[in-house]
Amino acid sequence: MPQRAVEDGGAVDVTALARAKMPDAALRARVALRLGGEADIASAVTTINEAYLREAWLLPPPRITDEALRAELRAPGAALLIAEVDGTLAGCVRLRTGERDTYFGLLAVAKAQQGRGLASLLIAQVEEMARAAGSAAVRLDCAKENKLPPYYESLGYVVEREEPNSYYGTKGPITVTYMKKDLR
């Protein structure tokens, strides 16, 4: 029996939401993946902020600014992966490759492209980039309250640990879930 939750006054099948969708061949044919640069910052920030509106209860908008993303991308091993559909930015993810592992965050898909498997495609590309860089694992963290851990588990990530009673800025308490996928 699917697990159910009440959202906005109606029942929602949480199990269906938790499974990652894989892009179909038609979408794959229209997607171009590339590393982003300075010219992509403004569009990426817009996409991230729109996608993260669902987390406004945790972190009041904006999720990130142009300056903050620019600063994050100056960190050693940092990159911005862009997904374009028909030449338009449709999603992005920030990653950092370290000595052993690659970490990703700020995964965002434009509203018009959500639910089509683009996030799964971006994550798969992060994993390929991590393998190419010699990373042993890919890591991420997320707020458990956003019900994202089951989504990542469907892609092979496992919960390493959870930190209840955490705060994000002044918002909380939340449970931060740290997840990992071994690449070897």
Side-chain angles (χ1 to χ4, degrees):
M1 180 75 127
Q3 191 179 20
R4 300 196 79 71
V6 176
E7 261 180 36
D8 299 326
V12 175
D13 182 349
V14 177
T15 307
L17 295 175
R19 287 188 301 262
K21 181 169 177 64
M22 294 299 145
D24 62 24
L27 178 62
R28 282 181 182 272
R30 295 173 52 214
V31 173
L33 297 171
R34 64 176 177 79
L35 289 177
E38 178 64 32
D40 299 299
I41 298 280
S43 295
V45 166
T46 298
T47 300
I48 293 164
N49 287 333
E50 287 175 359
Y52 277 76
L53 283 175
R54 64 179 256 149
E55 293 187 0
W57 67 271
L58 173 62
L59 185 65
R63 169 63 181 85
I64 197 159
T65 63
D66 290 21
E67 296 78 25
L69 182 56
R70 219 175 259 111
E72 286 195 25
L73 294 175
R74 282 193 293 268
L80 180 66
L81 178 61
I82 300 288
E84 292 179 333
V85 174
D86 300 330
T88 301
L89 193 142
C92 58
V93 61
R94 187 250 308 124
L95 60 134
R96 282 191 310 262
T97 301
E99 287 183 33
R100 289 187 218 133
D101 298 340
T102 294
Y103 169 86
F104 77 85
L106 295 177
L107 175 63
V109 174
K111 195 166 188 106
Q113 298 295 333
Q114 290 178 2
R116 302 181 63 207
L118 197 53
S120 299
L121 193 62
L122 282 162
I123 293 168
Q125 185 63 32
V126 167
E127 292 168 4
E128 285 304 311
M129 292 170 70
R131 280 185 190 92
S135 292
V138 175
R139 297 178 185 276
L140 67 101
D141 59 76
C142 59
K144 184 176 184 177
E145 291 77 4
N146 284 337
K147 299 176 179 60
L148 289 173
Y151 170 81
Y152 292 117
E153 287 173 331
S154 76
L155 292 171
Y157 288 79
V158 296
V159 175
E160 286 190 289
R161 72 183 192 285
E162 293 184 329
E163 290 184 11
N165 299 315
S166 296
Y167 284 79
Y168 199 92
T170 59
K171 298 287 187 164
I174 61 165
T175 301
V176 178
T177 303
Y178 294 89
M179 303 185 77
K180 172 184 172 182
K181 182 175 184 177
D182 287 317
L183 298 178
R184 298 176 195 239

